Amino acid sequence: GARPFRARVQGTYIDLSDGLLKSAAVDEPRFELGGLLMEGTATNRLLQSDSYSVSTTLNNVTAAQDGTLGPDGSTQMWKLTIANIADPFAEKSTTKPSGSKVAFSVFVKRGNVATVTLRTIFTGGTNQDDYNIYNFDTDSWEQVGTSCAVSRLLLPNGIVRLQVVMTDNSTN
């Protein structure tokens, strides 16, 4: 017979019919592009990740909510505007236990630039500094560094979910 599906906690998924981020109840299967979404246990180490007004370093960039609805259909997205072309960045920092994998995703919508760069830095054991550049025009990635796997999911509402999984090369 069929085996029952079990999930210990609630989880989120992208509903491909409308592109919205939704929550699934305990023991409710989640489906995304490619079928059943199966994920291991994870710890959110980037608290308040939905706000650029908390725990964020901005350099030559301004951040403000502009009324655009985010992938959950209710929360406003943050618009990052380059104030000065000299080394602009918005940074969220967290720690990564040695020997572990860290995954993060961001939801982006094309503005007046063609690319977005997701930089991952690991300092401990062997220093790693990888650049993962997504190009909206070509729907492709350019990677500088070897410790990250990247993916993207195009949503019907014009938002793109970019995901980076970083492995600590010092122990692998």
Side-chain angles (χ1 to χ4, degrees):
R3 301 183 89 188
F5 179 84
R6 298 278 185 229
R8 294 183 189 149
V9 296
Q10 290 181 324
T12 58
Y13 66 98
I14 301 295
D15 185 334
L16 295 178
S17 68
D18 58 14
L20 296 179
L21 182 68
K22 299 194 176 163
S23 293
V26 172
D27 293 337
E28 178 184 346
R30 299 174 292 155
F31 294 90
E32 281 193 1
L33 194 64
L36 181 64
L37 179 60
M38 302 288 288
E39 299 175 312
T41 303
T43 301
N44 183 359
R45 296 186 177 281
L46 195 55
L47 303 178
Q48 298 167 322
S49 59
D50 60 348
S51 174
Y52 278 91
S53 62
V54 180
S55 303
T56 305
T57 301
L58 298 174
N59 187 65
N60 292 326
V61 173
T62 58
Q65 290 181 303
D66 70 349
T68 302
L69 291 183
D72 64 359
S74 62
T75 306
Q76 288 190 37
M77 292 183 72
W78 287 82
K79 181 176 183 179
L80 303 180
T81 305
I82 297 172
N84 184 328
I85 199 67
D87 193 28
F89 65 84
E91 176 183 290
K92 291 273 196 182
S93 299
T94 187
T95 58
K96 176 181 154 314
S98 182
S100 66
K101 287 185 178 180
V102 171
F104 70 92
S105 58
V106 296
F107 293 90
V108 296
K109 193 166 188 175
R110 170 129 189 207
N112 59 354
V113 295
T115 62
V116 61
T117 301
L118 304 178
R119 182 179 182 189
T120 55
I121 301 172
F122 175 68
T123 55
T126 303
N127 287 346
Q128 297 164 223
D129 190 356
D130 293 357
Y131 288 84
N132 305 284
I133 304 162
Y134 177 75
N135 186 310
F136 288 96
D137 291 339
T138 61
D139 186 28
S140 64
W141 288 93
E142 174 188 348
Q143 290 187 268
V144 179
T146 59
S147 62
C148 294
V150 295
S151 64
R152 64 95 182 103
L153 178 63
L154 303 173
L155 306 178
N157 53 9
I159 295 174
V160 180
R161 180 183 68 189
L162 304 177
Q163 184 174 37
V164 175
V165 178
M166 182 181 194
T167 303
D168 178 359
N169 283 340
S170 67
T171 60
N172 295 341

